[in-house]
Amino acid sequence: MRTLLPSSPHNPMLQSPTTPSSRRRFIHCAKRSDSSPIGSSRSDWQSSCAILSSKVVSQEQAAVNGHTNGSVNLVPFDDKSLTPPNKKTTPTPLSITDLSPAPMHGSNLRVAYQGVPGAYSEAAAGKAYPNCQAIPCDQFEVAFQAVELWIADRAVLPVENSLGGSIHRNYDLLLRHRLHIVGEVQLPVHHCLLALPGVRKEFLTRVISHPQGLAQCEHTLTKLGLNVAREAVDDTAGAAEFIAANNVRDTAAIASARAAEIYGLEVLADGIQDDASNVTRFVMLAREPIIPRTDRPFKTSIVFAHEKGTCVLFKVLSAFAFRNISLTKIESRPNHNVPIRLVDEANVGTAKHFEYMFYVDFEASMAEPRAQNALSEVQEFTSFLRVLGSYPMDMTSWSPSSSSSSSSTFSL
Ligand SMILES: O=C(O)C(=O)Cc1ccccc1
């Protein structure tokens, strides 16, 4: 996939510590109150974490009995008047209510996503956690690490699309990292063709977008007579940003109407996805799993494998079929090169190679006995089993007529 350079400085995003220098952008954490950039090198990355953690420590120091730098900071006391210190300057002791986790309804939640503002993943973050602080990251790997390093509370990951199918690389990421799926969002995706103001379709020699964007609009582009080069980039809004920042007049981006607004591009064609009911499913990831419940529909995602090949699949599927548990997804991924670490009851780890990994989503909560029984049976048949998460299903009903994706306007 091609990386477009340079990016405009108005788009701060978290960047991988391993990003090669040729790919480095001018970055800082999104929505920091100062705009001082945090560099993309490993040491800058680490120091940004150090800054975050030292801030946390100093706040605690201020709050807990005035201790700073290891010495006791006594609360000033006016001994002339012998009046008690002003309430405002007196640190309030922590109470038990400060320790119980507040319910998070989205505000204050820091949600990492891959891409720049205007990306669909940002919209998915907003749908899952209204008023959250969305943190742009240049790669999915960085979004995962941001959560692991406590820079973010959640990561948003697109996993499948009604037109383009599964986003396989993101399944691999779920396996490589230890984050838990805590929610899902189904987002209707309404693509636009964007170009610099004044550019006409006849001038175009190239269309750029995220591979999913290109795949989802392939037929419509051809119908529009755009038999020009297609180029895959990291995210849809990044494609729009690139065109605007570099004043590229022979290229159009497939991205959202919001990306057009943010980067000052014109919408040449609206609703260019090949199917009006184009929906992408995103999962929300966190460091800790949520407690599964039974008072609303839940979905559970698992991954499993067996040393002796794929013959286990039939047995596993029967464990769900016998209990009337519907599967909403089954996906196999070749896994020849990546050894999986298995841990036994004595916590002794061994590395194993599995030919295929199987991903299954089923409609039941891990709080339900039928799901627990199905999984104990699956465990008997398999050498490796991991529950990726049990989480509330996104029940939003969407249809071409109920979403904005119903209309298509081609004004080329
Ligand atoms: O590139 C983006 O904007 C993303 O969030 C990934 C994506 C791309 C196309 C459809 C859905 C999600």
Side-chain angles (χ1 to χ4, degrees), residues 339-353:
I340 302 291
R341 187 168 176 269
L342 304 177
V343 181
D344 64 16
E345 287 104 55
N347 212 17
V348 176
T350 43
K352 282 238 153 67
H353 284 269

Side-chain angles (χ1 to χ4, degrees), residues 1 110 151 163 198 213 370:
M1 200 180 302
R110 297 159 305 171
I151 292 168
L163 273 169
R370 63 182 184 137

Side-chain angles (χ1 to χ4, degrees), residues 49-61:
C49 302
I51 291 163
L52 284 175
S53 58
S54 74
K55 269 189 192 150
V56 170
V57 169
S58 60
Q59 277 162 6
E60 281 167 6
Q61 283 168 334

Side-chain angles (χ1 to χ4, degrees), residues 56-73:
V56 170
V57 169
S58 60
Q59 277 162 6
E60 281 167 6
Q61 283 168 334
V64 183
N65 294 333
H67 289 262
T68 51
N69 298 330
S71 62
V72 178
N73 236 352

Side-chain angles (χ1 to χ4, degrees), residues 387-407:
V387 177
L388 295 168
S390 198
Y391 48 91
M393 276 168 74
D394 180 356
M395 305 295 285
T396 329
S397 66
W398 50 266
S399 66
S401 53
S402 67
S403 84
S404 56
S405 58
S406 55
S407 59

Side-chain angles (χ1 to χ4, degrees), residues 138-176:
D138 74 341
Q139 293 169 46
F140 286 119
E141 187 72 40
V142 180
F144 275 74
Q145 287 181 20
V147 178
E148 286 162 351
L149 297 171
W150 293 74
I151 292 168
D153 306 298
R154 300 281 185 275
V156 175
L157 190 70
V159 286
E160 63 183 294
N161 177 268
S162 54
L163 273 169
S166 285
I167 305 171
H168 294 116
R169 283 191 53 235
N170 292 352
Y171 277 91
D172 298 342
L173 279 174
L174 285 175
L175 189 63
R176 250 189 285 137

Side-chain angles (χ1 to χ4, degrees), residues 8-207:
S8 77
H10 58 262
N11 254 335
M13 62 157 76
L14 284 183
Q15 218 171 13
S16 162
T18 52
T19 302
S21 56
S22 63
R23 295 198 56 206
R24 281 188 195 145
R25 301 190 192 196
F26 195 62
I27 59 152
H28 61 76
C29 279
K31 299 210 180 159
R32 281 155 53 97
S33 49
D34 63 352
S35 59
S36 54
I38 296 171
S40 58
S41 69
R42 180 168 285 278
S43 59
D44 282 348
W45 174 266
Q46 283 165 341
S47 64
S48 76
C49 302
I51 291 163
L52 284 175
S53 58
S54 74
K55 269 189 192 150
V56 170
V57 169
S58 60
Q59 277 162 6
E60 281 167 6
Q61 283 168 334
V64 183
N65 294 333
H67 289 262
T68 51
N69 298 330
S71 62
V72 178
N73 236 352
L74 291 175
V75 175
F77 188 79
D78 182 355
D79 58 0
K80 284 190 208 102
S81 60
L82 289 179
T83 49
N86 183 332
K87 263 224 162 226
K88 275 187 196 141
T89 58
T90 313
T92 319
L94 279 180
S95 74
I96 200 77
T97 49
D98 296 319
L99 305 176
S100 51
M104 283 232 180
H105 296 300
S107 49
N108 300 328
L109 210 65
R110 297 159 305 171
V111 185
Y113 68 95
Q114 196 233 354
V116 295
Y120 296 106
S121 299
E122 185 199 39
K127 183 177 176 192
Y129 306 109
N131 307 318
C132 69
Q133 179 190 334
I135 302 178
C137 301
D138 74 341
Q139 293 169 46
F140 286 119
E141 187 72 40
V142 180
F144 275 74
Q145 287 181 20
V147 178
E148 286 162 351
L149 297 171
W150 293 74
I151 292 168
D153 306 298
R154 300 281 185 275
V156 175
L157 190 70
V159 286
E160 63 183 294
N161 177 268
S162 54
L163 273 169
S166 285
I167 305 171
H168 294 116
R169 283 191 53 235
N170 292 352
Y171 277 91
D172 298 342
L173 279 174
L174 285 175
L175 189 63
R176 250 189 285 137
H177 289 262
R178 288 248 140 233
L179 297 182
H180 303 266
I181 304 179
V182 295
E184 70 167 1
V185 152
Q186 313 263 12
L187 189 81
V189 171
H190 182 90
H191 289 301
C192 301
L193 189 71
L194 312 179
L196 283 170
V199 167
R200 298 206 338 249
K201 151 188 124 151
E202 293 75 34
F203 304 158
L204 298 176
T205 62
R206 180 169 73 147
V207 175

Side-chain angles (χ1 to χ4, degrees), residues 303-338:
V303 53
F304 62 87
H306 190 61
E307 287 152 86
K308 298 192 185 73
T310 54
C311 59
V312 69
L313 192 55
F314 175 77
K315 291 183 189 168
V316 168
L317 296 186
S318 67
F320 294 104
F322 284 136
R323 294 173 179 87
N324 261 333
I325 300 177
S326 310
L327 305 187
T328 53
K329 176 169 195 75
I330 173 152
E331 181 75 35
S332 73
R333 286 286 289 151
N335 191 64
H336 305 291
N337 302 324
V338 190

